[in-house]
Amino acid sequence: MGYCPLSFFAVLDTLLWLSFASSNNASEAYYRRNVFYAGGEYTFVPSTNSTISINQIYVEQLTPLYGKKRRYPIVFFHGGGVSGTQWLNKPDGGRGWASYMLDEGYEVYIVDQWSVGRSSKTNLDAAALSPGSSVETAQIAFTAPELYNNYYQARFHTQWPGNGTRGDPVFDAFYATSLPLSLGPLFQNISRTSTCALLQKIGPSIFVSHSYGGQGVFLATDGCPDLVKGHVAFEADQTPFGNYDAGTRGASSPIVTRAWGVADVPITYDPPVSDPTQLVRATVGQNQYTDGKLSNYSCVLQAQNATQRPRRLVNIARAPVLFLTTQASIHVLYDHCLVSYLRQAGVKVMFTLLEDVGILGNGHFGMLERNSDDIAGYIDRWIRRTIR
């Protein structure tokens, strides 16, 4: 029986490549990779008398080498000041959540949000860039909050690999991924439009977001609800009407922002809202302290009483949400506010404090910590139970 020499050498080359890959990075899943851009438009620039493309976002498509087994893909949405690389590898060299989900049979899409990384903005005068986190902020808020003890739960942080400070190789690898980003209404509107353009290309999908990335997913769900099958919000940073992030440095009150509840731009409510002042607000609860340290924030929600009923987020409510909060992040002090806001607006939210399901010691970047696979497994089980 004859054979085709080209086919033989192609197979041999593949086997040699797999052997090399296995010996150098055995923990990573095998996949086929494609890249493309979603959204965007042409615009004329008078100052240069030329036309450019703006507002597109970079997307990596990773397909399991032996074929996808799950009906809907996962779209990963990174947080502020980093890029989609946070889903690929961990700074200690371990495999990231992309590989975990590929091994479970999901097709995976990884986005760089507009203005960040390979989605860097080409309309240079629009939405000035803000720096990512400083070294000091990264240590205090993400990698070593236990060393600063600015809020009660910080002492429970144990899962970061290494000591979490400048000079430690894992911290240095993590901090090298920091990038500037744009914030505010322009970013949010572009994010909604470009993400819906992505979904129109790839079809209905499940989102996994982190921190600031949660806002992009909520806006996309508002803009194209038929294409969002579910949202895993890992410490989504959209506390209604205010930003509590300064709690990592001991602040006891929020910075007023997000006039539309979870965004600075219009979203769909029922009854309709034409001006955000129509969202009647009420403060619920009060700050709490444990051993002299702040341990819980009060919330600003929609007013709810005999004469005032909360308005519903009718589009966002069409996708179920799994909201995850870690044991030792500053988010454990205030994530309940966003969960309460979503629930009173009709969104079906499963709120899980990871310590309640035996996943202990994590901070804000739990997907990069030692026990990240435990969190990924919990996410996968929720998807299997909830999304059909």
Side-chain angles (χ1 to χ4, degrees):
M1 180 181 295
Y3 63 90
C4 172
L6 181 61
S7 297
F8 171 78
F9 286 112
V11 171
L12 179 61
D13 182 65
T14 299
L15 291 173
L16 289 172
W17 180 87
L18 288 173
S19 175
F20 174 81
S22 296
S23 65
N24 283 273
N25 200 2
S27 67
E28 290 300 307
Y30 296 122
Y31 56 82
R32 298 190 305 275
R33 179 173 177 264
N34 180 40
V35 300
F36 60 92
Y37 281 79
E41 59 193 283
Y42 289 108
T43 189
F44 182 74
V45 183
S47 62
T48 60
N49 193 35
S50 61
T51 301
I52 62 173
S53 177
I54 62 173
N55 301 341
Q56 63 272 22
I57 57 171
Y58 173 84
V59 185
E60 290 194 21
Q61 175 187 10
L62 308 180
T63 305
L65 185 61
Y66 301 109
K68 58 186 178 182
K69 300 176 183 178
R70 308 302 297 274
R71 180 177 181 183
Y72 299 111
I74 287 177
V75 180
F76 283 112
F77 240 65
H78 65 81
V82 294
S83 72
T85 59
Q86 73 175 58
W87 308 110
L88 291 169
N89 304 101
K90 300 197 293 186
D92 65 352
R95 72 174 190 169
W97 280 2
S99 277
Y100 188 99
M101 294 305 178
L102 285 163
D103 280 345
E104 295 300 321
Y106 295 94
E107 189 168 48
V108 166
Y109 293 85
I110 300 174
V111 172
D112 277 1
Q113 294 197 64
W114 179 76
S115 82
V116 173
R118 284 166 287 192
S119 298
S120 181
K121 61 193 182 74
T122 51
N123 44 338
L124 301 180
D125 295 332
L129 290 172
S130 300
S133 299
S134 66
V135 168
E136 292 77 13
T137 295
Q139 293 176 167
I140 292 169
F142 307 144
T143 62
E146 68 278 12
L147 300 182
Y148 301 89
N149 199 31
N150 285 333
Y151 56 95
Y152 176 73
Q153 292 88 339
R155 66 195 66 191
F156 301 122
H157 186 231
T158 60
Q159 292 291 352
W160 184 264
N163 65 31
T165 64
R166 174 181 173 179
D168 180 88
V170 178
F171 176 87
D172 292 346
F174 166 71
Y175 191 73
T177 68
S178 298
L179 294 169
L181 73 161
S182 291
L183 302 168
L186 179 63
F187 167 84
Q188 293 168 33
N189 281 325
I190 293 172
S191 178
R192 173 161 43 193
T193 301
S194 58
T195 306
C196 285
L198 168 63
L199 294 177
Q200 288 160 8
K201 181 179 179 69
I202 67 175
S205 301
I206 302 162
F207 279 91
V208 175
S209 72
H210 176 236
S211 194
Y212 193 67
Q215 187 170 71
V217 179
F218 287 127
L219 288 169
T221 309
D222 182 60
C224 46
D226 290 339
L227 297 175
V228 180
K229 301 303 295 184
H231 178 194
V232 178
F234 186 73
E235 300 210 337
D237 198 15
Q238 287 75 55
T239 311
F241 307 116
N243 186 319
Y244 290 82
D245 290 351
T248 55
R249 296 179 181 268
S252 59
S253 59
I255 298 170
V256 177
T257 185
R258 291 190 277 270
W260 289 81
V262 296
D264 300 296
V265 297
I267 50 180
T268 307
Y269 283 93
D270 181 32
V273 174
S274 58
D275 186 290
T277 59
Q278 295 172 307
L279 294 169
V280 181
R281 309 177 189 184
T283 299
V284 177
Q286 57 186 0
N287 290 359
Q288 298 175 9
Y289 294 81
T290 304
D291 293 345
K293 295 292 182 179
L294 190 65
S295 58
N296 191 72
Y297 278 111
S298 63
C299 303
V300 179
L301 306 177
Q302 291 191 69
Q304 186 170 2
N305 52 50
T307 60
Q308 186 72 44
R309 295 176 60 84
R311 297 171 189 261
R312 291 175 52 83
L313 292 164
V314 287
N315 286 349
I316 293 175
R318 293 172 62 179
V321 175
L322 171 63
F323 202 113
L324 301 178
T325 300
T326 66
Q327 182 182 24
S329 166
I330 186 64
H331 277 252
V332 75
L333 277 68
Y334 56 76
D335 275 354
H336 63 96
C337 298
L338 177 52
V339 170
S340 296
Y341 189 84
L342 293 171
R343 284 175 171 169
Q344 71 171 182
V347 183
K348 182 180 179 181
V349 184
M350 178 176 175
F351 183 33
T352 300
L353 298 172
L354 289 177
E355 63 184 289
D356 290 343
V357 294
I359 301 176
L360 306 176
N362 291 106
H364 186 51
F365 278 84
M367 76 288 292
L368 304 180
E369 296 189 308
R370 293 189 184 97
N371 60 347
S372 60
D373 279 4
D374 293 340
I375 306 172
Y378 186 84
I379 291 170
D380 178 45
R381 291 190 293 275
W382 178 82
I383 292 172
R384 291 172 185 266
R385 291 193 309 266
T386 307
I387 298 174
R388 297 288 184 261

